Structures are given as C-alpha cells and as structure tokens.
CSV table of all heavy atoms in Angstrom, one decimal:
chain,number,residue,atom,x,y,z
A,1,PRO,N,56.9,21.3,141.2
A,1,PRO,CA,56.7,22.2,139.9
A,1,PRO,C,57.8,23.1,139.7
A,1,PRO,O,58.5,23.6,140.6
A,1,PRO,CB,55.4,23.0,140.3
A,1,PRO,CG,55.3,22.9,141.7
A,1,PRO,CD,55.9,21.7,142.2
A,2,GLN,N,58.1,23.3,138.4
A,2,GLN,CA,59.3,24.2,138.1
A,2,GLN,C,58.8,25.6,137.8
A,2,GLN,O,59.5,26.6,138.2
A,2,GLN,CB,60.0,23.7,136.8
A,2,GLN,CG,60.6,22.3,137.1
A,2,GLN,CD,61.6,22.3,138.2
A,2,GLN,OE1,62.5,23.1,138.3
A,2,GLN,NE2,61.4,21.4,139.2
A,3,ILE,N,57.6,25.8,137.2
A,3,ILE,CA,57.2,27.2,136.9
A,3,ILE,C,57.0,28.0,138.1
A,3,ILE,O,57.3,29.2,138.2
A,3,ILE,CB,56.0,27.1,136.0
A,3,ILE,CG1,55.6,28.6,135.6
A,3,ILE,CG2,54.8,26.4,136.6
A,3,ILE,CD1,54.5,28.7,134.5
A,4,ILE,N,56.4,27.4,139.1
A,4,ILE,CA,56.1,28.1,140.4
A,4,ILE,C,56.5,27.1,141.5
A,4,ILE,O,55.8,26.3,142.0
A,4,ILE,CB,54.7,28.5,140.6
A,4,ILE,CG1,54.3,29.4,139.4
A,4,ILE,CG2,54.5,29.3,141.9
A,4,ILE,CD1,52.8,29.8,139.5
A,5,PRO,N,57.8,27.1,141.9
A,5,PRO,CA,58.2,26.1,142.9
A,5,PRO,C,57.4,26.1,144.2
A,5,PRO,O,56.8,27.2,144.4
A,5,PRO,CB,59.7,26.4,143.1
A,5,PRO,CG,60.1,27.1,141.9
A,5,PRO,CD,58.9,27.8,141.5
A,6,LYS,N,57.4,25.1,145.0
A,6,LYS,CA,56.7,25.1,146.2
A,6,LYS,C,57.3,26.2,147.1
A,6,LYS,O,58.5,26.6,147.1
A,6,LYS,CB,56.9,23.7,147.0
A,6,LYS,CG,56.2,22.6,146.3
A,6,LYS,CD,56.4,21.3,147.1
A,6,LYS,CE,55.6,20.2,146.4
A,6,LYS,NZ,55.8,18.9,147.1
A,7,ARG,N,56.3,26.8,147.9
A,7,ARG,CA,56.7,27.9,148.8
A,7,ARG,C,57.1,29.1,148.1
A,7,ARG,O,57.6,30.1,148.7
A,7,ARG,CB,57.8,27.5,149.9
A,7,ARG,CG,57.4,26.4,150.8
A,7,ARG,CD,58.4,25.9,151.6
A,7,ARG,NE,59.5,25.2,150.8
A,7,ARG,CZ,59.4,23.9,150.4
A,7,ARG,NH1,58.3,23.2,150.7
A,7,ARG,NH2,60.3,23.4,149.6
A,8,THR,N,56.9,29.2,146.8
A,8,THR,CA,57.2,30.4,146.1
A,8,THR,C,55.8,31.1,145.7
A,8,THR,O,54.8,30.5,145.3
A,8,THR,CB,57.9,30.1,144.7
A,8,THR,OG1,59.1,29.6,145.0
A,8,THR,CG2,58.0,31.3,143.9
A,9,THR,N,55.7,32.4,145.9
A,9,THR,CA,54.4,33.2,145.8
A,9,THR,C,54.7,34.2,144.7
A,9,THR,O,53.8,35.1,144.6
A,9,THR,CB,54.0,33.7,147.0
A,9,THR,OG1,54.9,34.6,147.6
A,9,THR,CG2,53.6,32.7,148.0
A,10,ARG,N,55.8,34.2,144.0
A,10,ARG,CA,56.0,35.3,142.9
A,10,ARG,C,56.6,34.6,141.8
A,10,ARG,O,57.4,33.7,141.8
A,10,ARG,CB,57.0,36.3,143.5
A,10,ARG,CG,56.7,36.9,144.8
A,10,ARG,CD,57.7,38.1,145.1
A,10,ARG,NE,59.1,37.7,145.1
A,10,ARG,CZ,59.7,37.1,146.1
A,10,ARG,NH1,59.0,36.9,147.2
A,10,ARG,NH2,60.9,36.8,146.0
A,11,LEU,N,56.1,35.1,140.6
A,11,LEU,CA,56.8,34.7,139.3
A,11,LEU,C,58.1,35.4,139.1
A,11,LEU,O,58.2,36.5,139.6
A,11,LEU,CB,55.8,34.9,138.2
A,11,LEU,CG,54.5,34.2,138.2
A,11,LEU,CD1,53.8,34.6,136.9
A,11,LEU,CD2,54.7,32.7,138.2
A,12,GLU,N,59.0,34.8,138.4
A,12,GLU,CA,60.4,35.4,138.2
A,12,GLU,C,60.3,36.7,137.6
A,12,GLU,O,61.1,37.6,138.0
A,12,GLU,CB,61.3,34.4,137.4
A,12,GLU,CG,62.7,34.9,137.3
A,12,GLU,CD,63.5,33.9,136.5
A,12,GLU,OE1,63.0,32.8,136.2
A,12,GLU,OE2,64.6,34.2,136.2
A,13,ASN,N,59.5,36.9,136.6
A,13,ASN,CA,59.5,38.2,135.9
A,13,ASN,C,58.9,39.3,136.8
A,13,ASN,O,59.2,40.4,136.6
A,13,ASN,CB,58.6,38.1,134.6
A,13,ASN,CG,57.2,37.6,134.9
A,13,ASN,OD1,56.8,37.3,135.9
A,13,ASN,ND2,56.4,37.7,133.8
A,14,PHE,N,58.2,38.9,137.9
A,14,PHE,CA,57.7,39.9,138.8
A,14,PHE,C,58.9,40.4,139.7
A,14,PHE,O,59.1,41.6,139.9
A,14,PHE,CB,56.7,39.3,139.8
A,14,PHE,CG,56.0,40.3,140.7
A,14,PHE,CD1,55.1,41.2,140.2
A,14,PHE,CD2,56.4,40.3,142.0
A,14,PHE,CE1,54.6,42.1,141.1
A,14,PHE,CE2,55.8,41.2,142.9
A,14,PHE,CZ,54.9,42.1,142.4
A,15,ASP,N,59.8,39.4,140.0
A,15,ASP,CA,61.0,39.8,140.7
A,15,ASP,C,61.9,40.7,139.9
A,15,ASP,O,62.4,41.8,140.3
A,15,ASP,CB,61.8,38.6,141.2
A,15,ASP,CG,61.2,37.9,142.3
A,15,ASP,OD1,60.1,38.3,142.7
A,15,ASP,OD2,61.9,36.9,142.8
A,16,ASN,N,61.9,40.4,138.5
A,16,ASN,CA,62.7,41.3,137.6
A,16,ASN,C,62.2,42.6,137.5
A,16,ASN,O,62.9,43.6,137.4
A,16,ASN,CB,62.8,40.6,136.2
A,16,ASN,CG,63.6,39.3,136.3
A,16,ASN,OD1,64.4,39.1,137.1
A,16,ASN,ND2,63.3,38.5,135.3
A,17,ALA,N,60.8,42.7,137.6
A,17,ALA,CA,60.2,44.1,137.6
A,17,ALA,C,60.7,44.9,138.9
A,17,ALA,O,61.0,46.1,138.7
A,17,ALA,CB,58.7,44.0,137.5
A,18,ILE,N,60.7,44.3,140.0
A,18,ILE,CA,61.1,45.0,141.2
A,18,ILE,C,62.6,45.4,141.0
A,18,ILE,O,63.0,46.5,141.4
A,18,ILE,CB,61.0,44.1,142.4
A,18,ILE,CG1,59.5,43.9,142.8
A,18,ILE,CG2,61.6,44.7,143.6
A,18,ILE,CD1,59.2,42.9,143.9
A,19,LEU,N,63.4,44.5,140.6
A,19,LEU,CA,64.9,44.9,140.4
A,19,LEU,C,65.1,45.9,139.4
A,19,LEU,O,65.9,46.8,139.6
A,19,LEU,CB,65.6,43.6,140.0
A,19,LEU,CG,65.8,42.4,141.0
A,19,LEU,CD1,66.5,41.3,140.5
A,19,LEU,CD2,66.6,43.0,142.3
A,20,SER,N,64.2,45.9,138.3
A,20,SER,CA,64.4,47.0,137.3
A,20,SER,C,64.0,48.4,138.0
A,20,SER,O,64.8,49.4,137.7
A,20,SER,CB,63.5,46.6,136.1
A,20,SER,OG,63.6,47.6,135.3
A,21,LEU,N,63.0,48.4,138.7
A,21,LEU,CA,62.6,49.7,139.3
A,21,LEU,C,63.6,50.2,140.3
A,21,LEU,O,63.9,51.3,140.4
A,21,LEU,CB,61.2,49.5,140.0
A,21,LEU,CG,60.0,49.2,139.0
A,21,LEU,CD1,58.8,48.9,139.8
A,21,LEU,CD2,59.8,50.4,138.1
A,22,TYR,N,64.1,49.2,141.1
A,22,TYR,CA,65.2,49.5,142.1
A,22,TYR,C,66.5,50.1,141.4
A,22,TYR,O,67.0,51.0,141.9
A,22,TYR,CB,65.5,48.3,142.9
A,22,TYR,CG,66.3,48.6,144.1
A,22,TYR,CD1,65.7,49.0,145.3
A,22,TYR,CD2,67.7,48.4,144.1
A,22,TYR,CE1,66.5,49.2,146.5
A,22,TYR,CE2,68.4,48.7,145.2
A,22,TYR,CZ,67.8,49.1,146.4
A,22,TYR,OH,68.6,49.4,147.5
A,23,ALA,N,66.8,49.4,140.3
A,23,ALA,CA,68.0,49.8,139.5
A,23,ALA,C,67.8,51.2,139.0
A,23,ALA,O,68.8,51.9,138.7
A,23,ALA,CB,68.3,48.9,138.4
A,24,LYS,N,66.6,51.6,138.8
A,24,LYS,CA,66.3,53.0,138.1
A,24,LYS,C,66.3,54.1,139.3
A,24,LYS,O,66.0,55.2,139.0
A,24,LYS,CB,65.0,53.0,137.4
A,24,LYS,CG,65.1,52.2,136.2
A,24,LYS,CD,63.7,52.2,135.4
A,24,LYS,CE,63.8,51.4,134.1
A,24,LYS,NZ,62.6,51.3,133.4
A,25,GLY,N,66.7,53.6,140.5
A,25,GLY,CA,66.8,54.6,141.6
A,25,GLY,C,65.5,54.8,142.4
A,25,GLY,O,65.5,55.8,143.2
A,26,MET,N,64.5,54.1,142.2
A,26,MET,CA,63.3,54.3,142.9
A,26,MET,C,63.4,53.8,144.3
A,26,MET,O,64.1,52.9,144.7
A,26,MET,CB,62.1,53.4,142.3
A,26,MET,CG,61.5,54.0,141.0
A,26,MET,SD,60.0,53.2,140.5
A,26,MET,CE,59.6,54.2,139.1
A,27,THR,N,62.7,54.6,145.3
A,27,THR,CA,62.7,54.1,146.6
A,27,THR,C,61.7,53.0,146.8
A,27,THR,O,60.9,52.7,146.0
A,27,THR,CB,62.3,55.3,147.5
A,27,THR,OG1,60.9,55.7,147.2
A,27,THR,CG2,63.2,56.5,147.4
A,28,VAL,N,61.7,52.4,148.0
A,28,VAL,CA,60.8,51.3,148.3
A,28,VAL,C,59.4,51.8,148.2
A,28,VAL,O,58.5,51.1,147.6
A,28,VAL,CB,61.0,50.7,149.7
A,28,VAL,CG1,59.9,49.7,150.1
A,28,VAL,CG2,62.4,50.0,149.8
A,29,ARG,N,59.1,53.0,148.7
A,29,ARG,CA,57.7,53.5,148.6
A,29,ARG,C,57.3,53.8,147.1
A,29,ARG,O,56.2,53.5,146.7
A,29,ARG,CB,57.6,54.8,149.4
A,29,ARG,CG,56.3,55.5,149.3
A,29,ARG,CD,55.1,54.7,149.7
A,29,ARG,NE,55.3,54.4,151.1
A,29,ARG,CZ,54.9,55.2,152.2
A,29,ARG,NH1,54.3,56.3,151.9
A,29,ARG,NH2,55.0,54.8,153.4
A,30,ASP,N,58.3,54.3,146.3
A,30,ASP,CA,58.0,54.5,144.9
A,30,ASP,C,57.7,53.1,144.2
A,30,ASP,O,56.8,53.0,143.4
A,30,ASP,CB,59.2,55.1,144.1
A,30,ASP,CG,59.5,56.5,144.5
A,30,ASP,OD1,58.5,57.1,145.1
A,30,ASP,OD2,60.6,57.0,144.5
A,31,ILE,N,58.4,52.1,144.6
A,31,ILE,CA,58.2,50.8,143.9
A,31,ILE,C,56.8,50.3,144.3
A,31,ILE,O,56.1,49.7,143.5
A,31,ILE,CB,59.4,49.8,144.3
A,31,ILE,CG1,60.7,50.2,143.8
A,31,ILE,CG2,59.0,48.4,143.9
A,31,ILE,CD1,61.8,49.4,144.2
A,32,GLN,N,56.5,50.4,145.6
A,32,GLN,CA,55.2,50.0,146.0
A,32,GLN,C,54.0,50.7,145.2
A,32,GLN,O,53.1,50.0,144.7
A,32,GLN,CB,55.0,50.3,147.5
A,32,GLN,CG,55.7,49.4,148.5
A,32,GLN,CD,55.5,49.8,149.9
A,32,GLN,OE1,55.9,50.9,150.4
A,32,GLN,NE2,54.8,49.1,150.6
A,33,ASP,N,54.2,51.9,145.0
A,33,ASP,CA,53.1,52.7,144.4
A,33,ASP,C,53.0,52.3,143.0
A,33,ASP,O,52.0,52.2,142.3
A,33,ASP,CB,53.5,54.2,144.5
A,33,ASP,CG,53.2,54.7,145.9
A,33,ASP,OD1,52.6,54.0,146.7
A,33,ASP,OD2,53.7,55.9,146.3
A,34,THR,N,54.3,52.1,142.3
A,34,THR,CA,54.3,51.8,140.9
A,34,THR,C,53.7,50.4,140.6
A,34,THR,O,52.8,50.2,139.7
A,34,THR,CB,55.7,51.8,140.3
A,34,THR,OG1,56.3,53.1,140.5
A,34,THR,CG2,55.8,51.4,138.9
A,35,LEU,N,54.0,49.4,141.4
A,35,LEU,CA,53.5,48.1,141.2
A,35,LEU,C,52.0,48.1,141.5
A,35,LEU,O,51.2,47.3,140.9
A,35,LEU,CB,54.1,47.1,142.2
A,35,LEU,CG,55.6,46.8,142.0
A,35,LEU,CD1,56.3,45.9,142.9
A,35,LEU,CD2,55.9,46.3,140.6
A,36,LYS,N,51.6,48.9,142.5
A,36,LYS,CA,50.1,49.0,142.8
A,36,LYS,C,49.3,49.6,141.5
A,36,LYS,O,48.3,49.1,141.1
A,36,LYS,CB,49.9,49.9,144.0
A,36,LYS,CG,48.4,50.1,144.4
A,36,LYS,CD,47.8,48.9,144.9
A,36,LYS,CE,46.3,49.1,145.3
A,36,LYS,NZ,45.7,47.8,145.8
A,37,ASP,N,49.9,50.7,140.9
A,37,ASP,CA,49.3,51.3,139.8
A,37,ASP,C,49.3,50.4,138.6
A,37,ASP,O,48.3,50.3,137.8
A,37,ASP,CB,50.0,52.6,139.5
A,37,ASP,CG,49.8,53.7,140.5
A,37,ASP,OD1,48.8,53.5,141.3
A,37,ASP,OD2,50.6,54.7,140.6
A,38,LEU,N,50.4,49.8,138.3
A,38,LEU,CA,50.6,48.9,137.1
A,38,LEU,C,49.9,47.6,137.1
A,38,LEU,O,49.3,47.1,136.2
A,38,LEU,CB,52.1,48.8,136.7
A,38,LEU,CG,52.8,50.1,136.3
A,38,LEU,CD1,54.2,49.8,136.0
A,38,LEU,CD2,52.1,50.8,135.1
A,39,TYR,N,50.0,46.9,138.3
A,39,TYR,CA,49.8,45.4,138.4
A,39,TYR,C,48.7,45.1,139.4
A,39,TYR,O,48.4,44.0,139.7
A,39,TYR,CB,51.0,44.7,138.7
A,39,TYR,CG,52.2,45.0,137.8
A,39,TYR,CD1,53.4,45.1,138.3
A,39,TYR,CD2,51.9,44.9,136.4
A,39,TYR,CE1,54.5,45.4,137.4
A,39,TYR,CE2,53.0,45.1,135.5
A,39,TYR,CZ,54.3,45.4,136.0
A,39,TYR,OH,55.3,45.7,135.2
A,40,HIS,N,48.1,46.2,140.1
A,40,HIS,CA,47.1,46.1,141.1
A,40,HIS,C,47.5,45.0,142.2
A,40,HIS,O,46.7,44.2,142.7
A,40,HIS,CB,45.7,45.5,140.4
A,40,HIS,CG,45.5,46.2,139.2
A,40,HIS,ND1,45.0,47.5,139.2
A,40,HIS,CD2,45.5,45.8,137.9
A,40,HIS,CE1,44.8,47.9,137.9
A,40,HIS,NE2,45.1,47.0,137.1
C-alpha cells in the first residue's frame, strides 16, 4: 500500500505536524502535550 506503507504507523501529515511544532521552537515535552490536547 502507498497511503500507509507496511511497517508505517503514522500518516505523513502527522509527521508534518510534529515538524511544524518543532520548527516553532517547542520542546519535546511541549510537542507531546500539544499532540495529546489536539489529537488525543
């Protein structure tokens, strides 16, 4: 499959969300908390 390749457990736009938060200067803990609040 192409939309979710084998052994992949994340969608590409989810990775982009992590990179966007990291680029904004968030720490790992901040990113964890934000993803928990926004995306459960």
Side-chain angles (χ1 to χ4, degrees):
Q2 299 300 306
I3 181 174
I4 306 177
K6 290 180 178 179
R7 295 172 294 280
T8 295
T9 58
R10 305 185 307 274
L11 296 182
E12 182 180 352
N13 59 352
F14 186 75
D15 286 6
N16 290 339
I18 292 177
L19 289 174
S20 177
L21 295 173
Y22 191 83
K24 292 178 180 178
M26 285 193 176
T27 63
V28 171
R29 176 60 62 85
D30 291 336
I31 294 174
Q32 285 180 289
D33 293 342
T34 300
L35 294 176
K36 178 68 174 177
D37 292 341
L38 293 178
Y39 307 131
H40 315 289

